[in-house]
Amino acid sequence: MRASSRAAADGQRSRDDASKDPERSERILAEVRELLEERSVVLIGHDVSKAQAEALVEALGPEEIHVVDVDVEGEAAQRWQTLEECLQDESADLFLLGVRLDTDEYQRFKERCLERKTPFVRLPGSFAPSAVAHQITRQVGWRLRALRDSSVG
């Protein structure tokens, strides 16, 4: 199975799982609200509507979600400049990567996040709050829990 097919299948499973078990979905949303409380999130996407961003803020509970529009069809140099500017935002506590990058761009993005010690989540599909919450807990929930626990203790 190709990587893009796998990512699409993972995203579909996330949506299917959440829709089949509303109680589980609500538990995941509640956990993410706790993990993102007082945190700043950057959503990197393309044509993200204001309503989508507002729905994520309301459901996921971060202090703010800053949306960065990345032109996925544009020139690679311009796309990387946009990503680099977003990576320089010192207030960002979590990046949500909602666009597909080519392999080299993705690797550079991942390395920069590691250098910054800032978690990021690859969103394989929908920006629906339950799907995003599922991906957050699946990919970086343990890191966010550790950050929360270290700031409390």
Side-chain angles (χ1 to χ4, degrees):
M1 182 180 283
R2 289 187 8 228
S4 61
S5 299
R6 251 190 326 271
D10 285 347
Q12 185 61 44
R13 271 194 296 279
S14 296
R15 288 187 297 280
D16 291 347
D17 291 347
S19 65
K20 288 179 186 174
D21 188 352
E23 287 180 21
R24 179 174 178 261
S25 179
E26 188 50 46
R27 280 192 312 271
I28 290 171
L29 283 166
E31 179 184 15
V32 169
R33 279 191 294 272
E34 182 182 317
L35 293 173
L36 295 183
E37 185 178 10
E38 298 182 15
R39 299 214 180 268
S40 177
V41 175
V42 176
L43 172 60
I44 302 165
H46 182 66
D47 290 335
V48 178
S49 73
K50 184 176 181 179
Q52 285 174 308
E54 288 173 353
L56 288 172
V57 169
E58 184 175 322
L60 304 180
E63 184 174 307
E64 69 175 344
I65 291 183
H66 177 71
V67 177
V68 175
D69 188 63
V70 174
D71 183 0
V72 293
E73 301 297 323
E75 291 183 29
Q78 180 61 43
R79 188 170 46 249
W80 182 253
Q81 181 179 349
T82 301
L83 290 169
E84 188 65 41
E85 289 170 5
C86 144
L87 287 163
Q88 291 175 9
D89 179 356
E90 293 297 322
S91 69
D93 297 307
L94 174 68
F95 292 107
L96 300 175
L97 184 60
V99 294
R100 298 221 13 108
L101 302 175
D102 72 29
T103 304
D104 292 337
E105 285 174 323
Y106 176 75
Q107 194 60 37
R108 286 172 65 192
F109 180 81
K110 181 179 170 181
E111 288 170 3
R112 291 283 286 119
C113 287
L114 289 170
E115 288 169 9
R116 283 179 50 117
K117 295 180 175 61
T118 304
F120 77 95
V121 174
R122 235 176 104 229
L123 300 176
S126 166
F127 288 161
S130 61
V132 173
H134 177 80
Q135 291 300 325
I136 290 171
T137 58
R138 183 173 166 261
Q139 295 180 42
V140 299
W142 64 275
R143 285 186 68 190
L144 294 173
R145 281 185 218 92
L147 287 170
R148 176 199 59 202
D149 295 346
S150 70
S151 68
V152 171

